[in-house]
Amino acid sequence: MRMPVIFSGHGSPMVALEDNEITHGMQKVGEDVLKKYGKPKAILAISAHWYIGETAIQSANPPKQVYDMYGFPKELYELKYPVQGSQELTNEVLKTLGPEVKVNDDWGIDHGAWSVLVHMFPEANIPVVQLSVNKYFTPRKAYEIGQKLAKLRDEGYLIFASGNVVHNLMRVEWDNPHGTEMTDRFNSYIVDKVSQRDDEAVLNFTTHPDAAYAVPTPDHFMPLFYILGATQNEVPQVFNNVANLGSMAMTGFIFGM
């Protein structure tokens, strides 16, 4: 069967250690995938935190676990997600994208990926290969790369992306367990358009009046374009459709379920 595709919000790195409604939503997604499809051959992870000026794929085995965050409790830096890499998946991405991609092992599996995968697939027994988010891409170019990657689903690979529909660190409200009006409006708009598969509206998200607040920088929103490209015309299930810290939306989508 064709493997599903997942986009998940990750928010604060502390989500890796939490046990709450959001992490339970992540757990259920992983359980549902394993129950319906069995264990994926490997996971192609696209994280907002490997945001560089090229399209790069990892080949290291095992990949490094990157603790790309500062000032958090030591328990977070002690958390291990010891996955293996997959040279087979790396080779498939190289073959699929051709000269548009290059191998780069300077990075690793960062918290955008492992803070969510530790809940979805806690046994860490599925190989993970991370693909960079190319900061020079337009939304449409990222979408087109996703279209090319879609064939990997038929070969037993799960495509997983992590970012946030709303992510504004400069406007975080640490004592607010919910979202601001601007966060809620923009998140609801994107959820509606993704659910309707109005991909053009999502690609042109900057027309929304709250876009500058919700997406002040493109890094955390860009992974969604790869996912939409890899799932054309598929209607998603929405999970963790909640906001916190005022300016953070944790919304996730799973396609193909």
Side-chain angles (χ1 to χ4, degrees):
M1 290 191 292
R2 194 173 215 216
M3 278 287 164
V5 176
I6 301 168
F7 173 87
S8 178
H10 64 256
S12 166
M14 290 300 291
V15 73
L17 299 177
E18 291 171 348
D19 180 8
N20 55 30
E21 179 184 5
I22 291 171
T23 63
H24 296 168
M26 295 172 178
Q27 290 165 8
K28 186 176 187 307
V29 166
E31 291 167 358
D32 288 348
V33 169
L34 295 176
K35 183 177 180 180
K36 183 172 180 179
Y37 294 92
K39 190 168 73 171
K41 192 185 297 184
I43 296 171
L44 180 66
I46 304 169
S47 166
H49 288 272
W50 197 19
Y51 185 70
I52 59 175
E54 64 182 11
T55 299
I57 190 71
Q58 294 173 342
S59 67
N61 192 17
K64 295 177 289 188
Q65 182 172 348
V66 180
Y67 296 89
D68 55 320
M69 62 279 179
Y70 307 95
F72 290 91
K74 72 173 187 174
E75 289 80 9
L76 187 59
Y77 303 96
E78 293 171 349
L79 188 153
K80 304 298 180 186
Y81 192 68
V83 292
Q84 296 297 303
S86 168
Q87 189 62 51
E88 183 181 1
L89 176 53
T90 297
N91 290 341
E92 285 295 325
V93 172
L94 289 169
K95 183 171 67 175
T96 299
L97 298 184
E100 294 185 286
V101 65
K102 61 182 285 188
V103 171
N104 183 335
D105 287 320
D106 293 341
W107 196 239
I109 308 302
D110 60 55
H111 85 267
W114 57 257
S115 68
V116 178
L117 293 176
V118 73
H119 295 293
M120 289 186 176
F121 306 107
E123 294 185 19
N125 61 354
I126 305 171
V128 178
V129 174
Q130 197 158 308
L131 179 75
S132 72
V133 176
N134 192 322
K135 68 180 181 180
Y136 295 124
F137 277 180
T138 63
R140 193 167 303 279
K141 179 61 177 177
Y143 185 90
E144 290 169 355
I145 292 294
Q147 289 176 295
K148 294 180 180 181
L149 294 172
K151 60 178 287 191
L152 298 175
R153 301 170 60 189
D154 298 317
E155 299 167 15
Y157 299 111
L158 185 146
I159 301 175
F160 162 82
S162 176
N164 290 96
V165 169
V166 178
H167 184 272
N168 190 334
L169 290 179
M170 300 300 293
R171 301 291 293 272
V172 162
E173 301 173 5
W174 295 105
D175 59 347
N176 186 352
H178 306 293
T180 63
E181 289 185 6
M182 290 178 286
T183 293
D184 291 342
R185 278 196 304 262
F186 186 81
N187 182 64
S188 294
Y189 173 78
I190 295 300
V191 168
D192 288 346
K193 296 305 181 185
V194 172
S195 298
Q196 297 164 11
R197 288 317 306 241
D198 187 350
D199 294 1
E200 287 299 316
V202 183
L203 289 168
N204 293 288
F205 71 95
T206 55
T207 62
H208 191 278
D210 296 310
Y213 170 90
V215 188
T217 59
D219 48 357
H220 279 67
F221 200 67
M222 188 71 79
L224 180 58
F225 302 132
Y226 291 83
I227 294 310
L228 292 177
T231 61
Q232 286 187 299
N233 301 318
E234 296 177 48
V235 177
Q237 294 179 16
V238 182
F239 66 97
N240 286 344
N241 189 10
V242 295
N244 56 28
L245 302 179
S247 59
M248 206 76 66
M250 296 299 293
T251 309
F253 305 99
I254 180 165
F255 300 82
M257 292 295 287

